[in-house]
Amino acid sequence: IQSNKKRVLLISNSTCAGEAYLQHCASYVKSFLNGGNVKNVLFVPFALADHDSYEATAKPVFEEMGFTLTSIHHHLADPVSAVNSTDAMFIGGGNTFRLLKCLHSHEGLIAAIRQRVADGMSYMGASAGSNVACPTICTTNDMPIVFPPTFASLTLVPFQINAHYLDPDTNSKHMGETRAKRLAEFHEENTRPVIGIREGTALLVTGKDSVKLIGRSVGARLFLHGRTPEQQTEHKVDEELGPLLLVKGED
Amino acid sequence: IQSNKKRVLLISNSTCAGEAYLQHCASYVKSFLNGGNVKNVLFVPFALADHDSYEATAKPVFEEMGFTLTSIHHHLADPVSAVNSTDAMFIGGGNTFRLLKCLHSHEGLIAAIRQRVADGMSYMGASAGSNVACPTICTTNDMPIVFPPTFASLTLVPFQINAHYLDPDTNSKHMGETRAKRLAEFHEENTRPVIGIREGTALLVTGKDSVKLIGRSVGARLFLHGRTPEQQTEHKVDEELGPLLLVKGED
Ligand SMILES: [Ca+2]
Ligand SMILES: [Ca+2]
């Protein structure tokens, strides 16, 4: 989506170890939503199996921050209207395959979200909710527990995110692929940039040109097609990543 | 596949840390193939991007054990004939999504493999090659780098395998799902048993009734639908797992 009005906040993970839900990002979530004059938030709990209990986790956290929250699973007769009448959306984490399959199962839902984001509605995702903001879910870490009709997703941004990014453990004897190896496999089959965002961080995407890493000072790792693992680069909080992530133009 | 002639060896991982390719399982691979009177092995390198180099890795290891090996990528004009004229097949590891997509792309290939296994052809898989022997690839650990036409797979056995099974790291502060959590998510959406086989082990499936864990003495973890994490059970090398894994009958 190419729009000067775009306001998208993509969080690596909703919960950091030993902390409450959204605690690590509460301050910038609050200023992001206030910056969009948000009063009410439409919550999407599709990534978890139990929608009621997921809503019960999220609702008091948003109310504490001064926003009302309603979950889209109470509006499944007409989810497009729910999207069209909210100030903001928040898609929570869980299983990305389950989330994407459910998003595609509601006629017109994805198109409505895209239109609202183009028109300036604030969009927040965490973990799986950040994955589905990308062109595809091909850089999710999740297990493929259900088969979605496609891996194509919301394409609110033109690059891929790897959430919960984890550096290789040099002491490990486990032979499963490291995250960096998995992303190298992604680039054997695909060309889009991937940004690995570590826990405690988020990407703030505004307008047509700006992508900023925010949150804890742990940095992010950028994976570009055609580079060797050693050529991939580290990026710091507050760095402007737009020129690196938006180069190809959006579809 | 229900057949008294079934001979299937499903290895968790091809390489253990610090060892050569297939070294950890060479003795039982050799006796498995000799037990099936195997002279030549058809290799399937589809899980990796570079088929020639993958063949170059596998070929000398099988030759050293006394078998000839040819890779199916040299026979893509008629892969079904290649399957029909081999004594045994070995599907190597890599990315499960890429492997499954490629298997489905060759008309009649999956049906031919199933027919040959029913007729007693020896089948070996490692990692992704073990995942595709299951009803679906829904318990793979891999990243979904390409979109296959379905997650349905060879169904040589009626249960699911989680290869490279890894116990939860109780010291970790990382909030990504543990393997056990991922498999619990699988069982929120599916009912088939899953056996988590740790590195250095394999499952030997023979005839209609027998599934044995072989290899290193690290055991396997069985995940059954409807059980809590604490109710899931550990199983030892040489234990007969058929009654636990084959209970529902095969499709
Ligand atoms: Ca997840
Ligand atoms: Ca793999």
Side-chain angles (χ1 to χ4, degrees):
Chain A
I1 292 170
Q2 287 271 33
S3 165
N4 284 325
K5 297 179 185 166
K6 185 152 78 173
R7 305 187 80 256
V8 172
L9 178 63
L10 304 173
I11 304 166
S12 176
N13 58 307
S14 50
T15 312
C16 281
E19 297 187 7
Y21 185 69
L22 296 180
Q23 185 179 333
H24 74 91
C25 50
S27 68
Y28 60 78
V29 164
K30 193 170 173 179
S31 47
F32 173 73
L33 293 177
N34 283 328
N37 295 313
V38 171
K39 299 279 178 289
N40 53 78
V41 175
L42 182 66
F43 179 58
V44 178
F46 295 159
L48 291 190
D50 185 338
H51 298 166
D52 285 334
S53 98
Y54 204 1
E55 180 186 24
T57 300
K59 200 179 180 80
V61 175
F62 281 83
E63 288 178 348
E64 176 79 14
M65 290 191 277
F67 310 103
T68 62
L69 180 144
T70 179
S71 177
I72 199 169
H73 77 282
H74 300 304
H75 304 275
L76 292 185
D78 191 0
V80 169
S81 288
V83 168
N84 286 337
S85 59
T86 189
D87 299 332
M89 288 184 72
F90 172 47
I91 302 192
N95 184 283
T96 310
F97 294 87
R98 179 160 53 195
L99 168 59
L100 185 68
K101 183 178 180 181
C102 198
L103 288 173
H104 279 291
S105 74
H106 297 285
E107 178 86 32
L109 178 57
I110 287 175
I113 297 171
R114 286 174 52 81
Q115 186 59 54
R116 290 297 320 281
V117 170
D119 293 342
M121 178 194 71
S122 302
Y123 176 99
M124 271 178 60
S127 194
S130 294
N131 284 127
V132 296
C134 301
T136 71
I137 64 160
C138 292
T139 50
T140 179
N141 307 311
D142 287 334
M143 192 164 266
I145 61 172
V146 294
F147 184 66
T150 167
F151 287 163
S153 192
L154 291 169
T155 322
L156 306 182
V157 298
F159 55 86
Q160 293 288 132
I161 288 174
N162 182 250
H164 301 269
Y165 180 73
L166 198 58
D167 295 287
D169 175 357
T170 49
N171 292 318
S172 174
K173 297 200 160 171
H174 188 71
M175 299 300 286
E177 294 90 355
T178 62
R179 196 67 62 79
K181 177 72 171 59
R182 290 170 201 275
L183 296 174
E185 283 183 358
F186 171 81
H187 277 140
E188 288 172 350
E189 304 286 342
N190 304 273
T191 57
R192 286 198 181 85
V194 184
I195 182 95
I197 52 174
R198 296 184 177 91
E199 294 191 342
T201 67
L203 294 174
L204 178 62
V205 186
T206 49
K208 288 185 178 173
D209 303 317
S210 178
V211 182
K212 282 207 171 180
L213 182 68
I214 60 175
R216 296 189 174 164
S217 308
V218 289
R221 193 159 183 87
L222 177 66
F223 296 85
L224 295 183
H225 182 253
R227 290 193 177 172
T228 64
E230 298 72 30
Q231 290 169 331
Q232 308 294 4
T233 51
E234 282 291 316
H235 298 276
K236 290 196 168 66
V237 163
D238 289 333
E239 189 178 333
E240 176 56 71
L241 297 170
L244 289 163
L245 290 173
L246 306 176
V247 277
K248 297 242 176 166
E250 306 183 33
D251 55 344
Chain B
I1 292 170
Q2 287 271 33
S3 166
N4 284 325
K5 297 178 185 166
K6 184 151 79 173
R7 304 188 80 255
V8 172
L9 178 64
L10 303 173
I11 304 165
S12 176
N13 58 305
S14 49
T15 312
C16 281
E19 297 187 9
Y21 186 69
L22 297 179
Q23 185 179 331
H24 75 89
C25 51
S27 68
Y28 60 79
V29 164
K30 194 170 173 179
S31 47
F32 173 73
L33 293 176
N34 283 329
N37 295 312
V38 170
K39 300 279 178 287
N40 53 79
V41 174
L42 182 66
F43 180 58
V44 178
F46 296 159
L48 291 190
D50 185 338
H51 299 166
D52 286 335
S53 99
Y54 204 1
E55 180 186 26
T57 300
K59 199 180 180 78
V61 175
F62 281 83
E63 287 177 348
E64 175 79 16
M65 290 190 276
F67 311 103
T68 61
L69 180 144
T70 180
S71 177
I72 199 168
H73 77 283
H74 300 303
H75 305 274
L76 292 186
D78 190 1
V80 169
S81 289
V83 168
N84 286 337
S85 59
T86 188
D87 299 333
M89 289 186 71
F90 173 47
I91 303 193
N95 184 282
T96 310
F97 294 87
R98 178 160 54 195
L99 169 58
L100 185 69
K101 184 178 180 181
C102 197
L103 287 173
H104 279 291
S105 74
H106 297 284
E107 177 86 33
L109 178 57
I110 287 175
I113 296 171
R114 285 175 50 83
Q115 185 60 55
R116 290 297 322 279
V117 170
D119 292 343
M121 178 193 71
S122 302
Y123 176 99
M124 269 178 59
S127 194
S130 294
N131 283 129
V132 295
C134 301
T136 71
I137 63 161
C138 292
T139 51
T140 180
N141 307 311
D142 288 333
M143 193 165 264
I145 60 173
V146 295
F147 184 65
T150 167
F151 288 163
S153 190
L154 292 169
T155 322
L156 305 182
V157 298
F159 54 86
Q160 294 289 131
I161 288 173
N162 182 251
H164 302 268
Y165 180 72
L166 197 59
D167 295 287
D169 175 358
T170 49
N171 292 317
S172 173
K173 294 199 163 173
H174 189 72
M175 298 301 284
E177 295 90 355
T178 62
R179 196 67 62 80
K181 178 70 171 60
R182 290 170 201 275
L183 295 175
E185 283 183 358
F186 171 82
H187 276 142
E188 288 173 350
E189 303 287 341
N190 305 272
T191 57
R192 286 197 182 88
V194 184
I195 181 95
I197 52 175
R198 296 184 177 91
E199 294 191 343
T201 68
L203 293 175
L204 178 62
V205 186
T206 49
K208 289 185 179 175
D209 303 318
S210 178
V211 182
K212 281 205 172 181
L213 181 69
I214 61 176
R216 296 192 173 161
S217 308
V218 288
R221 193 160 182 87
L222 177 66
F223 297 86
L224 295 182
H225 181 253
R227 289 193 178 172
T228 65
E230 298 71 30
Q231 290 169 332
Q232 308 295 3
T233 51
E234 282 292 315
H235 298 276
K236 290 197 169 66
V237 163
D238 290 333
E239 189 178 333
E240 176 56 72
L241 298 171
L244 290 162
L245 290 172
L246 306 175
V247 277
K248 295 242 177 166
E250 306 182 33
D251 57 342

